[in-house]
Amino acid sequence: AMRLGELLVSWGLVSQIDVDAALAHQNARGGQLGAILMAFGLMTVEQLRDALRSQESSRGARPEQAVTG
């Protein structure tokens, strides 16, 4: 399955530079990539939900089973 950052870049929601910055922040301070990108103002909770649902469905899980914590 595609990683969240790769999926968001492929959808044109964020750039690879944005993902790299968020991953650097995550490595330094922890947290979830989606939450960091939202805190940076780069995406909405709805966009994150859609991406997580798409990611889960590509693994064979139904969207309503996706954990969006």
Side-chain angles (χ1 to χ4, degrees):
M2 193 178 283
R3 298 182 75 150
L4 180 61
E6 294 169 348
L7 181 65
L8 297 172
V9 170
S10 76
W11 284 7
L13 290 175
V14 297
S15 70
Q16 186 60 52
I17 292 169
D18 296 329
V19 172
D20 292 344
L23 288 170
H25 185 278
Q26 183 182 47
N27 287 336
R29 300 186 184 159
Q32 295 179 320
L33 182 63
I36 295 166
L37 290 167
M38 284 193 302
F40 285 0
L42 296 171
M43 60 186 304
T44 67
V45 67
E46 291 83 9
Q47 290 169 324
L48 177 59
R49 249 188 235 127
D50 288 345
L52 291 171
R53 283 191 185 120
S54 174
Q55 199 179 32
E56 288 300 319
S57 65
S58 73
R59 293 183 187 143
R62 293 193 305 273
E64 62 269 19
Q65 292 176 325
V67 176
T68 56

